[in-house]
Each structure stands twice: as C-alpha cells, then as structure tokens.
Amino acid sequence: MKKYHLLLQIFIGVLLFDFADVMAQDPTSDSLILFLKTSPEDTSKVNALNTLSKQYTNSGDYEKAMQYAKQAEQAATNINHQKGLANSYNNIGVIYWSQANYDQALKNYLKSLEIRQAIGDKKGIATSYNNVGLVYYDQGNYEKALQNQLKALKIREEIGDKKGLAMSFNNIGMIYNYQGDYKNALEKYFKSVKIKEEIGDRRGIAATELNIGMAYFNLKNYEKALDIYFKSLKIREEMGDKQGIEHLSNNIGNIYLIQKNYGGALEKYFTSLKIQLEIGDILGAGTSYNNIGTIYTKQNKFNEASNYLNQALTIFKKIGYKEGTKATYVALSDLYNKKGDFKEAYHYHKLYSDIKDTLLNEQSSKQIAEMNVKYDSEKKDKELIKKDAEISKHEAETEKQNLQRNAFIIGFSLMLVLAFFIYRGYRQKKSANKLLGEKNSVIEKQKKVVEEKNEKITDSINYAKRIQQAILPSDELIKLLFPDSFIFFQPKDIVSGDFYWLSEKKDKILIAVADCTGHGVPGAFMSMIGNTLLNEIVNVKNIIQPAQILSELNQGIVNLLNQSNTDSSTQDDGMDITIVSIDKINNEIEFAGANHFSYLIDQNQLQTLEGDVYSIGGMFGKADINFTSQKIKVNKGSTLYLFTDGFIDQFGGEKNTKYLSGRFNKLLQRIQVDNMESQKEELITEFNNWKINTKQLDDVLVVGIRI
C-alpha cells in the first residue's frame, strides 16, 4: 500500500486544489503573442504577459512560463503598475510551487501579498493567503496552512466572493483530509459544492467531487469513491471537458490499481494519456506513463514497463518535477528487483534516497518560517514608520526653531564637560594600568593552576569513559544476538547516566535500557552499579523473568545505597528501566518496566509497552516493591524500540519546545520500514536538526531491534 500511496500523491495531488489565479479562461497563446509584438508598454501588455505565463504553467512548460512572468515583472515595474507586479510575483510563485521549490514559492507569494495589501486589493490578498496556505500544506505544516486558508476565507466572506468561498472551503477540506479528519473534510467539500451549484459552476462542482472521491478513497470506501468519480465523469463528458475527463480517468485507474483490476486500470490510464498528449499536459502525461509502467511491472511485462517508466522519468526531469522523479525511481527500482537485476535495482533505489533527502531537507521549512516571520515583522515596522513620519512632520516645524536656538548653548557646554572627563579619564587610566599589570600577573598564575587541574580531571573522566564503554555489550555480541538492530547512543557529557545491557539465558535473549538519575559522572556511577547488579541477578542467580529481575534490582539499589534508612530520605539516586525477554522460537516477548515505557510496531501498528509507575530506588525507595510483567505474541518482522527520555525531552525546533513523545512515535512509524542502519541515520539527523541551535540537555539512547 505504501508504494501505491507514493505514486498517487503525484497523480492526484496537483489535481485537487482550487488554485487562485491559475486556471482562468484566457485568450489563446498565439493571439497573445501576436498582440505583444505591437503592444505598447502599458497595463494591457503586463496583463497579456501574465496571462501567457499562467497558460504555460498550466501546460507544464515552466521555462516559458517563467520567461513571461519575468517579462511581466519588468514591464509592470517600468510603468509602476502595482497590481500587474503583484500578479507577476504570484505567477512566479505558482511556477516554483509546481516544481516543489517551496522556499522560492513562498518568497514570491509574500512579495505579491505585500503589494496587494498596500493597494487594498482584497480579492488579491485572499488569493495570496490561499497560495501561501498551499505551500505550508505541501510542507506538511497543516497548522499554518489552515491559518492562511482561514484568512482567505474571512476576506472572501467580507467581500461576498462566492467563487472564492467555494475555493476556500475546498482547500480547507483538503487540509482536514490529509490530517485524517475525513468527517470535517467532507463537510467542507459539500459546502464548496453547494456554493458552486448556486453560481452554476459545473466545472467547479466536478473538481470538488474529485476531492470528495479522494476522501472516500482515504476511508477505503472504494465503491463510494468510484460512484462519485463516475458521476463527475458524466458531467465532464457532457461539457466536453477534456482535462476533467483526463483527471477522472486517472483517479478511477488508481482505484482499479488498488483493487488489482489491472486491465481496467490500464484502460483508464491510456484514456488519460491520450487526452494529456492532445492538450499538451506534460506533467499529466508523465504521471500516466509512470502508472502504466507500474502496472506492466506487476504483469511481468518488463520491456513495456521499462519503456513507459523511462518516458515518465524523461518528462519529470525535463520539467524539474522532483516528486515525480522520486516516484519513478521507486518504480524503476521495483521493476529491476522483480527482474532479478539487483545491481540496477540498487542504483535506482540510491537515486530515490538522494532525491528524497533533498526534498525532505528541513532547512527549507526553517527558511520558510523565517521568511514569514520576517515579512510580518517588516509589515509592522512599516506601519510604525508611517505613523512616526506623520507625527514627526507635525512636530518638525516647532522643534526646528528651538533646536537652532539651543544648539549653540548645548554644544558649547558639552565641549567643556567632555574636556573635563577626558582629562580625568587620562589620570585614572594611568593609575589603573599600573594596578591592572599587577593583577594580570596573579591571574595568569592562577589560570595555569586551574588549567592543570582541569586537565587532570578531564583525563580521569576520559578514563572513566573507557571503563564505562568496556562494561557495555560489545558490538559483536549485539550483532550476533540481533543481526538486524541499531543503537543510537549519544551522551550529553563524556560519560553517561544511560546504559544498555544484554544477556542470553535458556534460549531467551534479555535486553535492558536504563536511564539513571542525573548524567555525567554521577549518572555514570549509577549506570555501573545497575550493570553490575543485573549481571549478578541474571548470570549468577539465574533469574530471567523481567518483573522478578526488576524487583531484585530495586532491592539491591535500596540496600546498597542505604535508602531504607530514614536519615537518607533526601537521597534520590535510582533509575528508570525497561527489561524485555525475547523468545525468537515462539515469537513472544515478555517485558517489565520501572517508570518507563517502550514501543512495539507490529504489522504497521504502534503499541505502547507501559511499565509500572515505580522507579528503581530513589527518594522513596522501598525494597519490597513487586513489579509486573506482560507477555505479547509478535509477528516476524515486528520492531521493538527501547529508549530513554533524552530524545523526547530535547528542546529545539522553531519555537524552542520539547520534541515530545507524539512527534517521536510518528517518526518511528515513518522510518520503521527502512533497514535498521538507515533508521539510525535518520534518528541522528532528526535529533541534530531539532537541537541545531540548542545545547543537548540529557543523555540520548535509542535501541531498535527487528524481531
């Protein structure tokens, strides 16, 4: 299902939005080009250039679209046609958006918005908010996408723009749809349809019905989706709307593909492709070539598959559509994998990984946020400057005469005061330099003493690090017991209060991940105590049941640190820990936790493994706590994630907030299909990007095991 989803985003994503100022009915390109040859430098020429830019954008010829948009920008600047200039920036933004260059798209949309606000073009302002919202939508920032769409909706309600209202309801529905809130999505879609029925916009009704069908598609109600699509298709055929027929044929083919009705899917894709080639829809043709190639791969028609997929790749590269290129690399990798040509399969998978990294670069999201903040700041500054200018102008005449009269008196007085302070400063500086030289000599001697002590302390801590690393399970043992696993271990300081432990007893593998009180040297001492006690409990006493191990560990910590003594009630040394026993023969795990939890992802479903509420030891340590265990049957290929709270509690991001467990479990669900080494790299990248401008606050430990 994941591969289908990856492909469907290309084919459906560009069809579902109501995109302001893009799909207008304009004169033909030939007539406009002829008009430009004799047109003077006036508003008509600017409008014609903008119209040509939109037409070439719609046909997927982004090079020509950009050429005419830039000409419109220059022509509008020459005659100071602000509305035309705003439209040209908007068109440039659309071109960048179509090519998934979101930071440049947003930059130009904000330029357009600023001009439209300055000239009071409310309809244009709503359009700009609409388009800014679409950029955030594509970035996955649904909160900001919704904020901008709601701004557009409010303005359109104020000015009674029914067509715009229908567009806003449609796009707000899209946001709810991709948030998984299909009920609200359908509600907004039906509002959009109702308005379009009132204004007689049959084409718009059919467009929104595409989205309604998509919502039912996401609900896996394929029959309802097909019913909506065929109803919309009938309207398109009556209208002679080739582009609409193309889109619907494609979407019906997508459902047939999911239902493995490959014959029906091919028929619809070829119908779509024929129309795309007729109307010059280059992007659409690329998607159809890709879909057709995918089906031929499933039918083992490898030559045909290769032919169509390579045509898709050529188109996507030519127009710079990276999302399409990425999906085609996946399809080609699948093709060669099925053929048994693993070298070529790996080659295309590597190309896919490279372009995926480019598209997922979080720096773009950061730049977008910074640009939006900068725009809001500049807007407020300009308003303040304008108000200040008005006040200053009013007061300037009065102040001018007073200033001239007092300038000489104040200036002369300042010169006298300045001369006095210069002389006094000279005398003080001479005395201070002598004293400073004596103090510097003392400080230099103290500095050397401190540096020597620091060097000795650092050497001792580094030696402690080697001892701590020696007691951790070796990489060889980990790979022997868990060939498909990873460990992401990043202490805050030289030594760590987090540790992991491993043992094999009686056909079962026991693994523990612990977070000791504190970090650095104090935490490291506790980690060594915990490791020593675990080895004694399991390897000497032969206790292998997780709950009993925790009870023994707790008793050992309480007794060793004398925490049962009331005089030691202020001592809170202890640890939070999870222990899991893995029975690979019976596909079963047994786990117990002390104020700790872990995640299990089995058949793409994430389950939280909750431990007991008690910690091991601590301020209220009791030696007689009975911990509990739970047993779970697991499927082969399920993934177990054990971790401490360092990753989750790390501050960072745009708003300098905690990462939190919700974001963490979504990250694990997204990456769990990858191999374990790739998962580790993605975790490291995510953590470092999150804390990029923030100090690491705690030790970080994440262990992943494919069972």
Side-chain angles (χ1 to χ4, degrees):
M1 185 63 70
K2 184 178 179 186
K3 291 177 183 176
Y4 292 147
H5 177 73
L6 180 63
L7 294 169
L8 291 172
Q9 291 307 305
I10 296 172
F11 308 139
I12 297 176
V14 295
L15 310 179
L16 298 178
F17 288 116
D18 275 335
F19 207 121
D21 286 358
V22 177
M23 301 301 290
Q25 297 298 309
D26 295 311
T28 65
S29 300
D30 291 341
S31 63
L32 287 170
I33 292 170
L34 186 63
F35 168 76
L36 287 173
K37 289 181 178 179
T38 57
S39 172
E41 193 92 344
D42 58 11
T43 58
S44 297
K45 180 177 181 179
V46 174
N47 295 337
L49 289 166
N50 275 323
T51 299
L52 274 170
S53 175
K54 288 187 286 186
Q55 289 182 351
Y56 281 114
T57 300
N58 294 339
S59 67
D61 190 342
Y62 301 127
E63 186 177 349
K64 283 190 176 180
M66 184 64 78
Q67 174 188 334
Y68 285 112
K70 290 290 187 180
Q71 288 182 26
E73 177 191 356
Q74 186 60 53
T77 302
N78 292 342
I79 64 172
N80 195 27
H81 179 28
Q82 292 297 297
K83 187 172 183 179
L85 183 59
N87 290 340
S88 69
Y89 284 136
N90 185 78
N91 289 343
I92 293 169
V94 173
I95 297 164
Y96 281 126
W97 177 84
S98 302
Q99 296 174 306
N101 189 341
Y102 301 126
D103 53 347
Q104 286 297 322
L106 184 59
K107 179 180 177 181
N108 283 278
Y109 287 152
L110 292 177
K111 283 184 179 180
S112 179
L113 175 60
E114 185 176 11
I115 295 171
R116 286 166 169 172
Q117 288 178 325
I119 64 177
D121 179 8
K122 286 195 171 184
K123 189 172 183 180
I125 293 168
T127 295
S128 292
Y129 280 133
N130 178 88
N131 295 351
V132 168
L134 298 187
V135 174
Y136 282 122
Y137 172 91
D138 282 323
Q139 285 287 321
N141 190 340
Y142 300 123
E143 182 181 349
K144 286 201 171 182
L146 188 59
Q147 288 173 3
N148 281 277
Q149 292 296 347
L150 289 173
K151 287 179 182 178
L153 177 67
K154 183 179 179 181
I155 294 171
R156 286 162 171 168
E157 286 175 335
E158 290 173 359
I159 64 178
D161 179 7
K162 285 195 171 184
K163 187 174 181 180
L165 278 172
M167 183 184 302
S168 290
F169 282 127
N170 179 82
N171 291 347
I172 291 168
M174 282 297 301
I175 296 168
Y176 286 133
N177 183 70
Y178 275 85
Q179 288 179 317
D181 188 352
Y182 304 124
K183 180 181 177 182
N184 266 326
L186 286 169
E187 177 191 340
K188 300 302 180 187
Y189 290 150
F190 286 127
K191 281 188 177 181
S192 179
V193 168
K194 183 179 179 181
I195 295 173
K196 288 173 178 178
E197 286 174 344
E198 291 174 3
I199 62 178
D201 183 7
R202 296 187 72 201
R203 183 185 298 273
I205 293 169
T208 302
E209 283 177 341
L210 275 170
N211 289 342
I212 295 172
M214 188 61 186
Y216 284 122
F217 177 92
N218 286 330
L219 288 166
K220 295 184 173 56
N221 189 343
Y222 300 129
E223 296 306 319
K224 187 70 175 177
L226 282 173
D227 181 56
I228 294 291
Y229 285 152
F230 279 117
K231 177 184 172 184
S232 182
L233 183 61
K234 185 177 179 181
I235 296 175
R236 304 279 188 159
E237 288 173 341
E238 290 173 357
M239 295 168 58
D241 178 9
K242 286 188 175 183
Q243 193 171 43
I245 296 169
E246 166 211 342
H247 293 172
L248 283 160
S249 297
N250 182 81
N251 286 8
I252 293 168
N254 292 336
I255 295 178
Y256 284 151
L257 174 61
I258 295 293
Q259 294 176 328
K260 298 184 179 180
N261 179 359
Y262 299 140
L266 276 175
E267 178 188 347
K268 291 300 178 184
Y269 288 147
F270 275 118
T271 298
S272 183
L273 178 61
K274 182 181 178 183
I275 296 172
Q276 288 156 352
L277 295 175
E278 287 176 0
I279 66 176
D281 181 1
I282 305 301
L283 176 60
T287 60
S288 291
Y289 281 129
N290 201 331
N291 266 344
I292 293 167
T294 299
I295 294 177
Y296 279 140
T297 297
K298 294 183 179 299
Q299 294 178 326
N300 294 327
K301 297 179 179 179
F302 300 132
N303 290 335
E304 293 92 334
S306 177
N307 178 37
Y308 280 95
L309 290 175
N310 278 298
Q311 288 187 74
L313 188 61
T314 300
I315 288 173
F316 291 144
K317 284 185 174 181
K318 181 179 179 182
I319 65 177
Y321 186 43
K322 292 179 181 178
E323 286 288 350
T325 304
K326 180 179 73 170
T328 308
Y329 284 149
V330 173
L332 283 164
S333 180
D334 289 344
L335 165 64
Y336 286 107
N337 185 59
K338 199 167 185 183
K339 283 179 69 176
D341 187 345
F342 302 117
K343 181 179 179 182
E344 282 298 297
Y346 173 77
H347 169 69
Y348 283 108
H349 182 76
K350 181 68 169 61
L351 291 173
Y352 156 73
S353 297
D354 292 343
I355 199 170
K356 182 183 74 170
D357 291 342
T358 300
L359 289 172
L360 292 180
N361 189 339
E362 291 190 356
Q363 188 60 34
S364 293
S365 297
K366 182 180 178 183
Q367 290 172 349
I368 287 173
E370 288 174 349
M371 276 186 273
N372 206 24
V373 170
K374 182 179 178 183
Y375 165 73
D376 289 337
S377 176
E378 287 177 350
K379 176 186 170 187
K380 291 176 183 177
D381 289 344
K382 286 178 180 178
E383 291 173 352
L384 290 172
I385 290 168
K386 185 178 179 182
K387 290 178 181 178
D388 287 342
E390 291 172 354
I391 295 170
S392 298
K393 183 179 179 181
H394 179 72
E395 296 176 346
E397 293 300 324
T398 304
E399 291 180 351
K400 185 176 180 181
Q401 292 178 354
N402 292 334
L403 183 63
Q404 289 174 343
R405 184 187 64 198
N406 297 329
F408 176 78
I409 298 171
I410 295 172
F412 184 76
S413 299
L414 284 174
M415 287 178 64
L416 291 175
V417 173
L418 182 61
F420 169 75
F421 278 109
I422 289 172
Y423 176 73
R424 191 180 73 170
Y426 167 75
R427 295 293 300 270
Q428 290 175 341
K429 184 176 180 182
K430 186 176 180 181
S431 176
N433 283 341
K434 182 180 178 182
L435 182 61
L436 183 62
E438 295 171 355
K439 288 184 177 180
N440 282 342
S441 178
V442 175
I443 291 171
E444 189 63 31
K445 291 178 181 178
Q446 292 175 339
K447 180 183 175 184
K448 288 182 180 179
V449 173
V450 171
E451 286 176 348
E452 289 174 0
K453 289 183 178 180
N454 282 341
E455 186 176 353
K456 290 179 181 179
I457 293 170
T458 303
D459 288 343
S460 297
I461 296 174
N462 282 323
Y463 186 73
K465 177 184 178 182
R466 292 197 293 272
I467 295 172
Q468 187 179 42
Q469 287 178 333
I471 69 171
L472 294 174
S474 67
D475 293 342
E476 292 77 9
L477 177 61
I478 294 167
K479 286 300 180 184
L480 177 65
L481 297 180
F482 297 114
D484 206 5
S485 64
F486 71 82
I487 295 177
F488 171 28
F489 186 37
Q490 186 167 303
K492 175 184 181 294
D493 302 309
I494 298 173
V495 289
S496 172
D498 291 357
F499 75 95
Y500 50 98
W501 174 89
L502 191 63
S503 181
E504 184 178 24
K505 299 289 282 186
K506 299 180 181 179
D507 297 326
K508 293 183 180 179
I509 303 172
L510 290 158
I511 184 166
V513 164
D515 186 352
C516 299
T517 305
H519 46 74
V521 174
F525 275 120
M526 281 304 302
S527 74
M528 292 181 185
I529 292 171
N531 190 287
T532 302
L533 288 174
L534 284 172
N535 283 327
E536 180 183 348
I537 293 164
V538 176
N539 299 325
V540 178
K541 295 182 179 180
N542 290 316
I543 297 171
I544 62 172
Q545 204 264 344
Q548 191 177 352
I549 294 172
L550 289 185
S551 296
E552 290 282 333
L553 178 63
N554 179 67
Q555 187 177 46
I557 292 289
V558 171
N559 292 339
L560 186 64
L561 301 181
N562 197 25
Q563 291 178 336
S564 57
N565 186 337
T566 55
D567 292 337
S568 303
S569 61
T570 57
Q571 186 191 99
D572 62 353
D573 299 307
M575 67 186 70
D576 299 332
I577 184 171
T578 292
I579 296 181
V580 181
S581 171
I582 300 175
D583 185 344
K584 288 189 174 181
I585 297 174
N586 296 313
N587 289 330
E588 184 178 69
I589 66 170
E590 182 178 2
F591 72 93
N595 194 32
H596 213 234
F597 69 96
S598 304
Y599 290 137
L600 174 70
I601 299 181
D602 194 354
Q603 295 185 328
N604 294 322
Q605 297 297 315
L606 183 142
Q607 180 179 351
T608 303
L609 309 181
E610 294 278 4
D612 293 302
V613 296
Y614 307 105
S615 292
I616 299 296
M619 185 179 295
F620 304 105
K622 295 181 180 179
D624 57 350
I625 295 175
N626 292 317
F627 291 90
T628 58
S629 291
Q630 297 180 53
K631 289 185 178 181
I632 298 178
K633 282 284 186 182
V634 295
N635 291 291
K636 189 173 179 61
S638 58
T639 312
L640 178 67
Y641 295 99
L642 309 175
F643 46 87
T644 59
D645 58 8
F647 199 122
I648 293 170
D649 287 347
Q650 178 63 42
F651 277 81
E654 294 176 2
K655 298 180 180 179
N656 195 30
T657 56
K658 283 188 178 182
Y659 194 81
L660 298 180
S661 57
R663 188 180 282 107
F664 186 61
N665 65 43
K666 286 180 181 177
L667 170 64
L668 294 180
Q669 288 180 83
R670 175 171 63 81
I671 68 174
Q672 57 96 17
V673 296
D674 297 335
N675 64 61
M676 303 307 279
E677 194 58 36
S678 295
Q679 289 190 43
K680 178 180 178 180
E681 292 302 318
E682 292 190 62
L683 282 167
I684 293 172
T685 300
E686 177 77 2
F687 182 75
N688 290 333
N689 286 345
W690 180 259
K691 73 171 183 71
I692 188 165
N693 294 317
T694 309
K695 189 171 83 171
Q696 183 173 332
L697 301 178
D698 199 358
D699 302 318
V700 173
L701 174 58
V702 183
V703 177
I705 299 169
R706 192 89 74 190
I707 300 174

